[in-house]
Amino acid sequence: GSWYNTPRSIFDMCEAEDLHVNNLVVANSDGDAVFDREFFLGKPDPLSTSNTLLWWNEEYRSTLWGHMTLFHLKQLVEPIFTGFKNTTNPWDIPTNGEVARRTRLQNGVASYTHPTNNKQDPYEHAYSGKGLPVDAALGLIDCIDLMGVVYDNALPFWYQFLNAGIRLPAAAGTDCFLNRVYMAPPGWGRVYVHLPDGFDYAEWCEGVKQGRSFVSNGPMLNFTAEGKQLGDTIRLNAPGKIAVKGDVRSKYPLEALEVVFNGKVVESGRLDEQNRNGMIKTEISVESSGWVALRAAGKPVRFWQGRSHSAHTNPIWVHVTDRPMDTSKSARYFLKWIDRLEAHAKKRDRVPEGEWADVQKHLDLARAVYRSKLKFSSVIR
């Protein structure tokens, strides 16, 4: 069943979950109707308190390119949706990249939400972020909503971007419909942002963009490498070892605490007798540039919608002089992706006559980025 919500009832739910930052989204569903537009203010909702911020933002929904969450908005980015048949905008334009650009013009943040829920073929899912590899290559996307119902299936997809040398921080998108009785609560998946000077929404948004954060649906992580914080870069003059240190706390038993380098587990931490707390302090060998992160995972539990409870830090990047990261494998992966996307878009035939040249340019610019990565390329700044 379902019930009708108001900003007051939504505030109550968010406060009850102790969720400090609540990006609520104006969006359509399957037709022309755009829900909750009347609540958008371009600033915090008047109900907000110092502990519970409500900001009505936007989910931009495209049936081809994928869904985006746009936040810290001063004004809605129109037309809200694209590619829905028998609506006022059945077309596949503007592209999500153009929408992200318009978001940036108002100092907003552009993210892809639920990027995929198909581990075997990330492209093949109705709501996959098919335009994400294009827009991320062009530097138009600030982060992706990794922690949510898609986490387990989307994790390898995220690793492809990192292994292509693309700094794409993970954030969280619960993607919950608060009017539905059986649904994840607000903040079921969260991003925790490091704010040493206290909370400020603009600074929180900047921390998300810089990857100074970890995502979780329960376990709490701490992680440093060579004393550097999440989102930082370690610079080495030659291959060598780096010291990593981390810990985890969890309400429910865990199965693993792991250090990942360039997508591969290189060290495992020690869990306590109840498998609810753990730590790791060691050195890992680094032969080339790349990224290092800490993750934790446990078995599914009933209170987690039957899903595993997990957490993952954003990367700490490693730059080794004259030893670039091997980005060629992921570059080839995304070049094939773009070919598939172009064929898909042409088959749909929902780009108006005279508009395809701009779409083609968008795809070709992304291809050029990935082709430049076929030779080992370190883009770490």
Side-chain angles (χ1 to χ4, degrees), residues 326-340:
D326 180 358
T327 57
S328 57
K329 183 177 180 180
S330 291
R332 284 192 292 270
Y333 176 87
F334 287 128
L335 284 169
K336 291 179 180 178
W337 181 291
I338 295 173
D339 290 343
R340 187 175 180 182

Side-chain angles (χ1 to χ4, degrees), residues 103-124:
T103 302
R104 293 267 186 88
L105 288 175
Q106 55 175 294
N107 200 34
V109 182
S111 176
Y112 268 75
T113 197
H114 48 69
T116 184
N117 205 13
N118 186 335
K119 183 180 291 187
Q120 285 68 41
D121 183 1
Y123 187 99
E124 193 57 50

Side-chain angles (χ1 to χ4, degrees), residues 19-228:
L19 187 59
H20 297 162
V21 182
N22 304 275
N23 289 302
L24 307 165
V25 292
V26 173
N28 81 318
S29 182
D30 296 311
D32 280 318
V34 175
F35 298 96
D36 297 339
R37 186 194 288 268
E38 67 270 27
F39 301 125
F40 181 84
L41 298 172
K43 59 183 179 181
D45 188 278
L47 291 172
S48 298
T49 67
S50 60
N51 194 58
T52 307
L53 174 78
L54 303 186
W55 193 304
W56 294 86
N57 284 296
E58 177 180 347
E59 181 179 3
Y60 192 93
R61 303 174 78 245
S62 165
T63 58
L64 173 63
W65 310 111
H67 297 188
M68 303 174 71
T69 42
L70 315 177
F71 54 98
H72 203 198
L73 295 181
K74 309 300 185 298
Q75 53 188 276
L76 293 172
V77 181
E78 302 288 350
I80 309 292
F81 61 89
T82 64
F84 285 80
K85 282 187 175 181
N86 304 316
T87 67
T88 53
N89 191 25
W91 311 109
D92 287 333
I93 57 169
T95 63
N96 281 10
E98 173 60 21
V99 170
R101 188 187 69 82
R102 296 178 191 179
T103 302
R104 293 267 186 88
L105 288 175
Q106 55 175 294
N107 200 34
V109 182
S111 176
Y112 268 75
T113 197
H114 48 69
T116 184
N117 205 13
N118 186 335
K119 183 180 291 187
Q120 285 68 41
D121 183 1
Y123 187 99
E124 193 57 50
H125 189 270
Y127 303 117
S128 289
K130 296 178 175 63
L132 175 57
V134 176
D135 302 330
L138 299 180
L140 297 172
I141 304 302
D142 298 303
C143 55
I144 63 169
D145 296 344
L146 181 72
M147 179 52 72
V149 295
V150 303
Y151 172 79
D152 290 326
N153 289 329
L155 188 61
F157 187 45
W158 180 49
Y159 285 179
Q160 291 279 14
F161 290 99
L162 302 182
N163 287 341
I166 295 175
R167 292 194 173 197
L168 185 64
T174 305
D175 198 34
C176 60
F177 294 80
L178 296 182
N179 63 315
R180 295 182 182 176
V181 174
Y182 186 75
M183 197 71 191
W188 178 81
R190 304 188 183 198
V191 55
Y192 290 89
V193 183
H194 184 217
L195 297 172
D197 298 323
F199 175 72
D200 175 82
Y201 183 59
E203 289 299 316
W204 182 89
C205 291
E206 187 62 28
V208 170
K209 292 163 60 176
Q210 296 299 323
R212 302 190 183 283
S213 56
F214 69 91
V215 296
S216 176
N217 63 16
M220 303 298 289
L221 294 174
N222 288 301
F223 185 62
T224 60
E226 288 295 304
K228 296 286 187 178

